[in-house]
Amino acid sequence: MQSTASFLNGPTPVEAAPRLALALGLDSDDLRVKRDDLIGLGGGGNKVRKLQVTMEEAVRSGAETVVTTGAPQSNHARLTAAAGARLGLRVVLVLQGREPESDRGNVLLDKLLGAEIVWSGDQPVEEAADQVERDAGRGRVHRIPFGGSSPSSAEAYVRAGNELLDQVPDVHHVVVAVGSGGTMAGLVTALGATRVLGVDSGAVPDARSVVHGLVRRMRPGGPGTAESLRIDTAQVGDGYEHLGGSTRSALSLAAETEGLVLDPTYSGRAMAGLVAAVKAGSIRPGERTVFLHTGGLPGLFGHDAF
Ligand SMILES: Cc1ncc(COP(=O)(O)O)c(C=O)c1O
């Protein structure tokens, strides 16, 4: 059995983004970008921090196979495949819907990384994954939850929040995409509810209750109500898999001002949320703001609208 290698290579960089700050309507020194997209494993992204925890749990359980679920262009699925390759574990990815005609974006990488893919067809993915688990035999499979979010894996983002505080002690706002909720839940636990603006991607029906549920399970007696969480649901637009106009403009803005490439599902939506927050006056000039770049670049090459 392999021991768990470290998937992280030290604190991720924090970069100034003065041209983007000015274009948003902030002062030029207000904005920082924390580059979790530059984490090394498998193309990088926020999911690696959480997988450091969930894959350690898999190794400790003695499992030979790891099973997880996701949307067809799931970054979590791709990075589970990468982490499994690093550890010599078999990875089965149960992805929503039917097999696409061509392998693009994350699906191409899933296969390159040696994962087996099961398409759920008309069945809900979690049910299809239950079947995969039964077929593999009890005790030999470790199941990683949808999006890799659990109270224990969200602790990785408590550590990331503390890392950020060391790097940017005067941080006033952190803007982050919300999918399965663990990233925001960890940041809220480290930084408090008022400093974290989560931008909903539409991956779950009720992001507020999912994030709040995780926060409560992490710190049962902790402060904070579901209402105190700052969550922008307006960027979901026509739904998780649809690229809205505000996200498209935000992608162009970051790329053209700073050479910063975002993805159409998560980090692009988070940037659209930052644009909207500055317009609405909930993030103001003079307030130190950190945009967390959570990765997802392969999704750009798997998206029909590009
Ligand atoms: C690139 C990217 N950013 C952000 C997120 C959201 O993270 P979380 O699932 O922890 O909310 C995800 C995953 O859903 C992602 O793939």
Side-chain angles (χ1 to χ4, degrees):
M1 180 59 57
Q2 294 268 354
S3 66
T4 318
S6 176
F7 303 148
L8 305 170
N9 35 18
T12 53
V14 170
E15 297 174 346
R19 284 170 43 78
L20 178 55
L22 287 173
L24 287 166
L26 296 172
D27 294 338
S28 65
D29 193 38
D30 287 345
L31 184 63
R32 302 284 183 272
V33 181
K34 184 161 171 64
R35 303 292 305 268
D36 274 14
D37 59 313
L38 297 183
I39 293 173
L41 181 74
N46 63 324
K47 301 294 178 175
V48 180
R49 289 189 192 260
K50 296 192 291 179
L51 280 160
Q52 185 73 55
V53 175
T54 46
M55 290 306 245
E56 273 166 16
E57 291 170 349
V59 168
R60 270 202 307 278
S61 76
E64 293 158 12
T65 300
V66 170
V67 176
T68 199
T69 51
Q73 284 298 324
S74 165
N75 297 298
H76 162 68
R78 181 238 317 163
L79 289 164
T80 304
R86 179 74 70 87
L87 296 173
L89 293 171
R90 174 177 171 237
V91 173
V92 182
L93 305 174
V94 183
L95 302 181
Q96 228 153 35
R98 295 181 196 291
E99 184 169 6
E101 276 170 22
S102 61
D103 297 338
R104 295 190 299 152
N106 279 304
V107 176
L108 188 154
L109 293 174
D110 295 341
K111 291 192 176 174
L112 189 65
L113 291 160
E116 294 162 45
I117 301 181
V118 173
W119 294 95
S120 72
D122 294 330
Q123 214 182 357
V125 269
E126 298 304 329
E127 279 177 24
D130 291 345
Q131 187 60 51
V132 168
E133 231 181 298
R134 280 195 293 274
D135 292 348
R138 272 176 86 80
R140 303 180 60 200
V141 173
H142 185 80
R143 178 86 161 260
I144 298 183
F146 174 79
S149 287
S150 64
S152 60
S153 72
E155 291 292 340
Y157 265 93
V158 180
R159 292 189 278 282
N162 290 328
E163 178 182 306
L164 173 60
L165 273 179
D166 284 344
Q167 293 169 311
V168 189
D170 61 349
V171 60
H172 202 114
H173 306 280
V174 179
V175 182
V176 64
V178 181
S180 59
T183 303
M184 180 174 183
L187 291 174
V188 165
T189 303
L191 304 169
T194 54
R195 281 200 276 193
V196 184
L197 172 61
V199 183
D200 188 4
S201 64
V204 294
D206 184 354
R208 182 176 297 280
S209 71
V210 168
V211 174
H212 185 245
L214 283 166
V215 170
R216 271 295 144 99
R217 284 162 70 203
M218 292 166 75
R219 302 287 182 275
T225 58
E227 294 69 42
S228 68
L229 295 173
R230 293 167 71 192
I231 297 193
D232 173 1
T233 54
Q235 312 310 326
V236 174
D238 289 338
Y240 174 79
E241 67 273 22
H242 296 284
L243 177 69
S246 62
T247 302
R248 186 182 274 282
S249 315
L251 281 166
S252 298
L253 185 70
E256 289 172 13
T257 55
E258 297 288 352
L260 191 66
V261 184
L262 306 174
D263 81 284
T265 309
Y266 298 101
S267 53
R269 275 200 172 93
M271 185 57 71
L274 173 55
V275 170
V278 176
K279 271 197 193 132
S282 57
I283 295 182
R284 290 187 292 264
E287 296 175 343
R288 175 79 69 218
T289 300
V290 175
F291 178 81
L292 182 65
H293 191 337
T294 49
L297 177 58
L300 197 57
F301 304 108
H303 204 286
D304 285 337
F306 282 91

Short mmCIF file of all heavy atoms in Angstrom, two decimals, residues 37 44-47 50 73-79 106 146-150 153-154 157 176-186 199 201 203-204 210-211 214 240 263 265-268 270 292-298, ligand 1:
data_model
loop_
_atom_site.label_atom_id
_atom_site.label_comp_id
_atom_site.label_asym_id
_atom_site.label_seq_id
_atom_site.Cartn_x
_atom_site.Cartn_y
_atom_site.Cartn_z
N ASP A 37 -5.06 27.66 -8.86
CA ASP A 37 -5.01 26.97 -10.16
C ASP A 37 -3.59 26.48 -10.46
O ASP A 37 -3.41 25.61 -11.31
CB ASP A 37 -5.49 27.90 -11.29
CG ASP A 37 -4.65 29.16 -11.41
OD1 ASP A 37 -4.38 29.82 -10.37
OD2 ASP A 37 -4.23 29.51 -12.54
N GLY A 44 -3.99 21.01 -11.82
CA GLY A 44 -4.18 21.97 -10.72
C GLY A 44 -5.62 22.36 -10.43
O GLY A 44 -6.56 21.98 -11.12
N GLY A 45 -5.77 23.14 -9.35
CA GLY A 45 -7.09 23.62 -8.96
C GLY A 45 -7.39 23.31 -7.50
O GLY A 45 -6.67 22.57 -6.83
N ASN A 46 -8.49 23.91 -7.01
CA ASN A 46 -8.85 23.80 -5.58
C ASN A 46 -9.09 22.37 -5.13
O ASN A 46 -8.89 22.03 -3.97
CB ASN A 46 -10.09 24.65 -5.28
CG ASN A 46 -11.34 24.22 -6.03
OD1 ASN A 46 -11.28 23.78 -7.17
ND2 ASN A 46 -12.47 24.36 -5.39
N LYS A 47 -9.52 21.52 -6.07
CA LYS A 47 -9.88 20.16 -5.67
C LYS A 47 -8.68 19.39 -5.13
O LYS A 47 -8.86 18.43 -4.38
CB LYS A 47 -10.48 19.41 -6.86
CG LYS A 47 -11.71 20.06 -7.43
CD LYS A 47 -12.86 20.04 -6.46
CE LYS A 47 -14.07 20.74 -7.02
NZ LYS A 47 -15.23 20.63 -6.15
N LYS A 50 -8.49 19.43 -1.32
CA LYS A 50 -9.46 18.55 -0.67
C LYS A 50 -9.08 17.08 -0.87
O LYS A 50 -9.26 16.25 0.01
CB LYS A 50 -10.86 18.84 -1.20
CG LYS A 50 -11.33 20.26 -0.84
CD LYS A 50 -12.81 20.46 -1.10
CE LYS A 50 -13.16 20.47 -2.55
NZ LYS A 50 -14.59 20.66 -2.80
N GLN A 73 -17.87 17.33 -17.24
CA GLN A 73 -16.62 18.12 -17.23
C GLN A 73 -16.15 18.40 -15.79
O GLN A 73 -15.59 19.45 -15.51
CB GLN A 73 -16.82 19.43 -17.99
CG GLN A 73 -16.82 19.25 -19.49
CD GLN A 73 -15.49 18.69 -20.03
OE1 GLN A 73 -14.43 19.02 -19.53
NE2 GLN A 73 -15.58 17.86 -21.06
N SER A 74 -16.33 17.44 -14.91
CA SER A 74 -15.94 17.63 -13.51
C SER A 74 -14.42 17.76 -13.35
O SER A 74 -13.66 16.87 -13.76
CB SER A 74 -16.45 16.44 -12.70
OG SER A 74 -15.83 16.40 -11.43
N ASN A 75 -13.99 18.86 -12.75
CA ASN A 75 -12.56 19.02 -12.43
C ASN A 75 -12.18 18.09 -11.27
O ASN A 75 -11.06 17.59 -11.20
CB ASN A 75 -12.26 20.47 -12.05
CG ASN A 75 -12.54 21.41 -13.19
OD1 ASN A 75 -11.92 21.31 -14.24
ND2 ASN A 75 -13.49 22.31 -13.01
N HIS A 76 -13.14 17.91 -10.36
CA HIS A 76 -12.90 17.00 -9.23
C HIS A 76 -12.62 15.57 -9.73
O HIS A 76 -11.72 14.90 -9.21
CB HIS A 76 -14.11 17.04 -8.29
CG HIS A 76 -14.17 15.88 -7.37
ND1 HIS A 76 -13.25 15.70 -6.36
CD2 HIS A 76 -15.02 14.81 -7.31
CE1 HIS A 76 -13.54 14.57 -5.71
NE2 HIS A 76 -14.59 14.04 -6.27
N ALA A 77 -13.39 15.15 -10.73
CA ALA A 77 -13.18 13.80 -11.28
C ALA A 77 -11.78 13.69 -11.89
O ALA A 77 -11.03 12.75 -11.62
CB ALA A 77 -14.26 13.49 -12.32
N ARG A 78 -11.42 14.69 -12.69
CA ARG A 78 -10.09 14.68 -13.33
C ARG A 78 -8.98 14.62 -12.28
O ARG A 78 -8.00 13.87 -12.40
CB ARG A 78 -9.94 15.93 -14.19
CG ARG A 78 -8.63 16.06 -14.93
CD ARG A 78 -7.87 17.35 -14.58
NE ARG A 78 -8.71 18.51 -14.53
CZ ARG A 78 -8.36 19.65 -13.96
NH1 ARG A 78 -7.17 19.78 -13.41
NH2 ARG A 78 -9.18 20.68 -13.92
N LEU A 79 -9.14 15.39 -11.22
CA LEU A 79 -8.06 15.45 -10.21
C LEU A 79 -8.08 14.22 -9.31
O LEU A 79 -7.02 13.82 -8.80
CB LEU A 79 -8.16 16.76 -9.43
CG LEU A 79 -7.74 17.93 -10.33
CD1 LEU A 79 -8.18 19.26 -9.76
CD2 LEU A 79 -6.24 17.93 -10.59
N ASN A 106 -11.91 17.85 -19.76
CA ASN A 106 -11.62 16.98 -18.61
C ASN A 106 -11.78 15.49 -18.93
O ASN A 106 -11.06 14.67 -18.38
CB ASN A 106 -12.51 17.36 -17.42
CG ASN A 106 -11.96 18.56 -16.67
OD1 ASN A 106 -10.83 18.56 -16.21
ND2 ASN A 106 -12.76 19.62 -16.57
N PHE A 146 -19.56 13.67 -3.94
CA PHE A 146 -19.71 14.60 -5.06
C PHE A 146 -18.89 15.87 -4.84
O PHE A 146 -18.98 16.49 -3.78
CB PHE A 146 -21.20 14.97 -5.18
CG PHE A 146 -21.50 16.02 -6.19
CD1 PHE A 146 -21.57 15.71 -7.53
CD2 PHE A 146 -21.70 17.34 -5.80
CE1 PHE A 146 -21.83 16.69 -8.47
CE2 PHE A 146 -21.97 18.33 -6.73
CZ PHE A 146 -22.03 18.00 -8.08
N GLY A 147 -18.06 16.20 -5.81
CA GLY A 147 -17.26 17.44 -5.70
C GLY A 147 -16.15 17.36 -4.67
O GLY A 147 -15.42 18.32 -4.47
N GLY A 148 -16.03 16.22 -4.00
CA GLY A 148 -14.96 16.05 -3.02
C GLY A 148 -15.20 16.79 -1.71
O GLY A 148 -14.27 16.93 -0.91
N SER A 149 -16.43 17.26 -1.48
CA SER A 149 -16.68 18.06 -0.27
C SER A 149 -17.25 17.23 0.86
O SER A 149 -18.27 16.55 0.70
CB SER A 149 -17.66 19.21 -0.58
OG SER A 149 -17.00 20.19 -1.35
N SER A 150 -16.58 17.30 2.00
CA SER A 150 -17.04 16.68 3.24
C SER A 150 -16.52 17.57 4.36
O SER A 150 -15.63 18.40 4.12
CB SER A 150 -16.46 15.27 3.38
OG SER A 150 -15.04 15.35 3.49
N SER A 153 -12.71 17.14 4.40
CA SER A 153 -11.94 17.70 3.28
C SER A 153 -12.01 19.24 3.27
O SER A 153 -11.07 19.91 2.82
CB SER A 153 -12.40 17.13 1.93
OG SER A 153 -13.67 17.63 1.57
N ALA A 154 -13.11 19.78 3.78
CA ALA A 154 -13.21 21.25 3.84
C ALA A 154 -12.17 21.84 4.81
O ALA A 154 -11.83 23.03 4.71
CB ALA A 154 -14.63 21.66 4.24
N TYR A 157 -9.47 23.73 3.31
CA TYR A 157 -9.66 25.16 3.01
C TYR A 157 -9.67 26.04 4.26
O TYR A 157 -9.59 27.26 4.15
CB TYR A 157 -10.86 25.40 2.07
CG TYR A 157 -10.29 25.46 0.66
CD1 TYR A 157 -10.22 24.34 -0.13
CD2 TYR A 157 -9.69 26.63 0.19
CE1 TYR A 157 -9.59 24.37 -1.37
CE2 TYR A 157 -9.07 26.68 -1.04
CZ TYR A 157 -9.02 25.55 -1.81
OH TYR A 157 -8.39 25.60 -3.02
N VAL A 176 -14.95 33.70 -4.20
CA VAL A 176 -14.69 32.30 -4.58
C VAL A 176 -15.92 31.66 -5.19
O VAL A 176 -17.05 31.98 -4.80
CB VAL A 176 -14.23 31.49 -3.33
CG1 VAL A 176 -15.31 31.41 -2.26
CG2 VAL A 176 -13.75 30.09 -3.71
N ALA A 177 -15.70 30.77 -6.16
CA ALA A 177 -16.81 30.02 -6.75
C ALA A 177 -17.31 28.95 -5.79
O ALA A 177 -16.53 28.38 -5.03
CB ALA A 177 -16.34 29.35 -8.05
N VAL A 178 -18.61 28.68 -5.86
CA VAL A 178 -19.21 27.63 -5.02
C VAL A 178 -19.78 26.53 -5.92
O VAL A 178 -20.59 26.80 -6.81
CB VAL A 178 -20.34 28.19 -4.13
CG1 VAL A 178 -20.93 27.09 -3.26
CG2 VAL A 178 -19.84 29.33 -3.27
N GLY A 179 -19.32 25.29 -5.68
CA GLY A 179 -19.89 24.13 -6.36
C GLY A 179 -20.52 23.22 -5.33
O GLY A 179 -21.66 23.41 -4.92
N SER A 180 -19.73 22.27 -4.83
CA SER A 180 -20.23 21.38 -3.78
C SER A 180 -20.04 21.98 -2.39
O SER A 180 -20.41 21.37 -1.39
CB SER A 180 -19.53 20.02 -3.88
OG SER A 180 -18.13 20.18 -3.76
N GLY A 181 -19.42 23.15 -2.30
CA GLY A 181 -19.47 23.96 -1.08
C GLY A 181 -18.29 23.88 -0.13
O GLY A 181 -18.15 24.73 0.75
N GLY A 182 -17.43 22.87 -0.27
CA GLY A 182 -16.37 22.67 0.72
C GLY A 182 -15.34 23.79 0.75
O GLY A 182 -14.83 24.14 1.82
N THR A 183 -15.06 24.36 -0.41
CA THR A 183 -14.04 25.42 -0.47
C THR A 183 -14.54 26.64 0.31
O THR A 183 -13.83 27.17 1.18
CB THR A 183 -13.75 25.77 -1.95
OG1 THR A 183 -13.35 24.56 -2.59
CG2 THR A 183 -12.66 26.81 -2.07
N MET A 184 -15.77 27.07 0.02
CA MET A 184 -16.31 28.22 0.75
C MET A 184 -16.46 27.90 2.25
O MET A 184 -16.13 28.74 3.10
CB MET A 184 -17.65 28.66 0.16
CG MET A 184 -18.21 29.86 0.91
SD MET A 184 -19.71 30.52 0.16
CE MET A 184 -20.01 31.93 1.24
N ALA A 185 -16.93 26.70 2.57
CA ALA A 185 -17.14 26.34 3.98
C ALA A 185 -15.83 26.45 4.77
O ALA A 185 -15.80 26.97 5.88
CB ALA A 185 -17.72 24.94 4.09
N GLY A 186 -14.74 25.97 4.16
CA GLY A 186 -13.44 26.06 4.84
C GLY A 186 -12.99 27.49 5.00
O GLY A 186 -12.50 27.89 6.07
N VAL A 199 -19.73 32.70 -4.94
CA VAL A 199 -20.52 32.90 -6.16
C VAL A 199 -20.99 31.53 -6.63
O VAL A 199 -20.18 30.66 -7.00
CB VAL A 199 -19.70 33.63 -7.24
CG1 VAL A 199 -20.58 33.89 -8.46
CG2 VAL A 199 -19.12 34.93 -6.69
N SER A 201 -22.34 28.44 -8.61
CA SER A 201 -22.23 27.97 -9.99
C SER A 201 -23.49 27.23 -10.43
O SER A 201 -23.61 26.88 -11.61
CB SER A 201 -21.03 27.02 -10.11
OG SER A 201 -21.26 25.87 -9.30
N ALA A 203 -24.20 24.21 -9.22
CA ALA A 203 -23.90 22.76 -9.16
C ALA A 203 -24.82 22.03 -8.19
O ALA A 203 -25.08 20.84 -8.37
CB ALA A 203 -22.45 22.54 -8.76
N VAL A 204 -25.28 22.72 -7.16
CA VAL A 204 -26.22 22.10 -6.21
C VAL A 204 -27.46 23.00 -6.13
O VAL A 204 -27.37 24.21 -6.37
CB VAL A 204 -25.59 21.94 -4.79
CG1 VAL A 204 -24.44 20.95 -4.81
CG2 VAL A 204 -25.12 23.28 -4.21
N VAL A 210 -26.17 24.09 1.70
CA VAL A 210 -25.06 23.13 1.61
C VAL A 210 -23.82 23.67 2.33
O VAL A 210 -23.20 22.99 3.15
CB VAL A 210 -24.73 22.80 0.13
CG1 VAL A 210 -23.41 22.05 0.01
CG2 VAL A 210 -25.86 21.98 -0.48
N VAL A 211 -23.48 24.94 2.06
CA VAL A 211 -22.30 25.53 2.70
C VAL A 211 -22.52 25.63 4.20
O VAL A 211 -21.66 25.25 5.00
CB VAL A 211 -21.96 26.92 2.10
CG1 VAL A 211 -20.83 27.58 2.87
CG2 VAL A 211 -21.60 26.79 0.62
N LEU A 214 -22.17 22.29 5.92
CA LEU A 214 -20.77 21.88 6.09
C LEU A 214 -20.11 22.65 7.24
O LEU A 214 -19.41 22.07 8.07
CB LEU A 214 -19.98 22.11 4.79
CG LEU A 214 -20.21 21.07 3.68
CD1 LEU A 214 -19.67 21.58 2.35
CD2 LEU A 214 -19.56 19.74 4.04
N TYR A 240 -26.20 25.60 -14.48
CA TYR A 240 -24.81 25.19 -14.30
C TYR A 240 -24.03 25.08 -15.62
O TYR A 240 -22.93 25.60 -15.76
CB TYR A 240 -24.82 23.85 -13.55
CG TYR A 240 -23.50 23.19 -13.40
CD1 TYR A 240 -22.60 23.60 -12.42
CD2 TYR A 240 -23.14 22.11 -14.22
CE1 TYR A 240 -21.37 22.97 -12.26
CE2 TYR A 240 -21.92 21.48 -14.07
CZ TYR A 240 -21.05 21.91 -13.09
OH TYR A 240 -19.83 21.28 -12.96
N ASP A 263 -12.20 29.72 -16.08
CA ASP A 263 -13.00 28.68 -16.73
C ASP A 263 -14.46 29.13 -16.78
O ASP A 263 -14.88 29.98 -16.01
CB ASP A 263 -12.85 27.34 -15.99
CG ASP A 263 -13.74 27.27 -14.77
OD1 ASP A 263 -13.40 27.90 -13.75
OD2 ASP A 263 -14.80 26.62 -14.84
N THR A 265 -17.28 27.67 -15.99
CA THR A 265 -18.26 27.14 -15.04
C THR A 265 -18.09 27.71 -13.64
O THR A 265 -19.07 28.01 -12.95
CB THR A 265 -18.17 25.59 -14.99
OG1 THR A 265 -18.22 25.11 -16.32
CG2 THR A 265 -19.30 24.99 -14.18
N TYR A 266 -16.85 27.85 -13.19
CA TYR A 266 -16.60 28.23 -11.79
C TYR A 266 -15.88 29.58 -11.67
O TYR A 266 -16.46 30.56 -11.20
CB TYR A 266 -15.78 27.14 -11.08
CG TYR A 266 -16.49 25.82 -11.02
CD1 TYR A 266 -16.18 24.79 -11.91
CD2 TYR A 266 -17.50 25.59 -10.08
CE1 TYR A 266 -16.84 23.57 -11.86
CE2 TYR A 266 -18.16 24.37 -10.02
CZ TYR A 266 -17.83 23.37 -10.92
OH TYR A 266 -18.49 22.18 -10.86
N SER A 267 -14.59 29.61 -12.06
CA SER A 267 -13.83 30.83 -11.78
C SER A 267 -14.33 32.01 -12.63
O SER A 267 -14.26 33.16 -12.20
CB SER A 267 -12.32 30.59 -11.98
OG SER A 267 -12.05 30.05 -13.25
N GLY A 268 -14.86 31.72 -13.83
CA GLY A 268 -15.45 32.78 -14.65
C GLY A 268 -16.69 33.36 -13.99
O GLY A 268 -16.92 34.57 -13.96
N ALA A 270 -17.21 33.27 -10.77
CA ALA A 270 -16.75 34.00 -9.58
C ALA A 270 -16.30 35.40 -9.97
O ALA A 270 -16.58 36.38 -9.25
CB ALA A 270 -15.62 33.23 -8.90
N LEU A 292 -9.99 34.22 -5.45
CA LEU A 292 -9.37 32.89 -5.40
C LEU A 292 -9.57 32.21 -6.75
O LEU A 292 -10.70 31.88 -7.12
CB LEU A 292 -10.00 32.05 -4.28
CG LEU A 292 -9.38 30.66 -4.12
CD1 LEU A 292 -7.93 30.72 -3.67
CD2 LEU A 292 -10.19 29.81 -3.13
N HIS A 293 -8.46 32.03 -7.46
CA HIS A 293 -8.52 31.31 -8.75
C HIS A 293 -8.46 29.82 -8.45
O HIS A 293 -7.41 29.31 -8.04
CB HIS A 293 -7.37 31.74 -9.65
CG HIS A 293 -7.51 31.27 -11.07
ND1 HIS A 293 -8.29 30.18 -11.42
CD2 HIS A 293 -6.98 31.74 -12.23
CE1 HIS A 293 -8.23 30.00 -12.74
NE2 HIS A 293 -7.45 30.94 -13.25
N THR A 294 -9.59 29.15 -8.66
CA THR A 294 -9.71 27.75 -8.26
C THR A 294 -9.41 26.79 -9.41
O THR A 294 -9.59 25.57 -9.26
CB THR A 294 -11.14 27.49 -7.73
OG1 THR A 294 -12.08 28.04 -8.68
CG2 THR A 294 -11.35 28.12 -6.37
N GLY A 295 -8.97 27.31 -10.56
CA GLY A 295 -8.58 26.42 -11.67
C GLY A 295 -9.73 26.15 -12.61
O GLY A 295 -10.62 26.97 -12.78
N GLY A 296 -9.69 24.97 -13.26
CA GLY A 296 -10.78 24.57 -14.14
C GLY A 296 -10.52 24.79 -15.62
O GLY A 296 -11.42 24.56 -16.45
N LEU A 297 -9.29 25.19 -15.96
CA LEU A 297 -8.99 25.50 -17.37
C LEU A 297 -9.42 24.40 -18.36
O LEU A 297 -9.96 24.73 -19.42
CB LEU A 297 -7.49 25.83 -17.52
CG LEU A 297 -6.98 26.12 -18.92
CD1 LEU A 297 -7.71 27.29 -19.56
CD2 LEU A 297 -5.47 26.39 -18.90
N PRO A 298 -9.23 23.10 -18.04
CA PRO A 298 -9.64 22.10 -19.05
C PRO A 298 -11.11 22.21 -19.44
O PRO A 298 -11.48 21.87 -20.57
CB PRO A 298 -9.35 20.76 -18.35
CG PRO A 298 -8.28 21.07 -17.36
CD PRO A 298 -8.58 22.47 -16.88
C1 LIG B 1 -12.55 25.04 -10.88
C2 LIG B 1 -13.45 24.91 -9.71
N1 LIG B 1 -13.64 25.99 -8.92
C3 LIG B 1 -14.46 25.95 -7.85
C4 LIG B 1 -15.15 24.81 -7.54
C5 LIG B 1 -16.06 24.83 -6.35
O1 LIG B 1 -15.48 24.15 -5.26
P1 LIG B 1 -16.42 23.44 -4.19
O2 LIG B 1 -16.95 22.20 -4.83
O3 LIG B 1 -15.52 23.15 -3.04
O4 LIG B 1 -17.50 24.38 -3.85
C6 LIG B 1 -15.01 23.66 -8.34
C7 LIG B 1 -15.77 22.43 -8.11
O5 LIG B 1 -16.91 22.29 -8.03
C8 LIG B 1 -14.12 23.71 -9.45
O6 LIG B 1 -13.93 22.64 -10.23
#
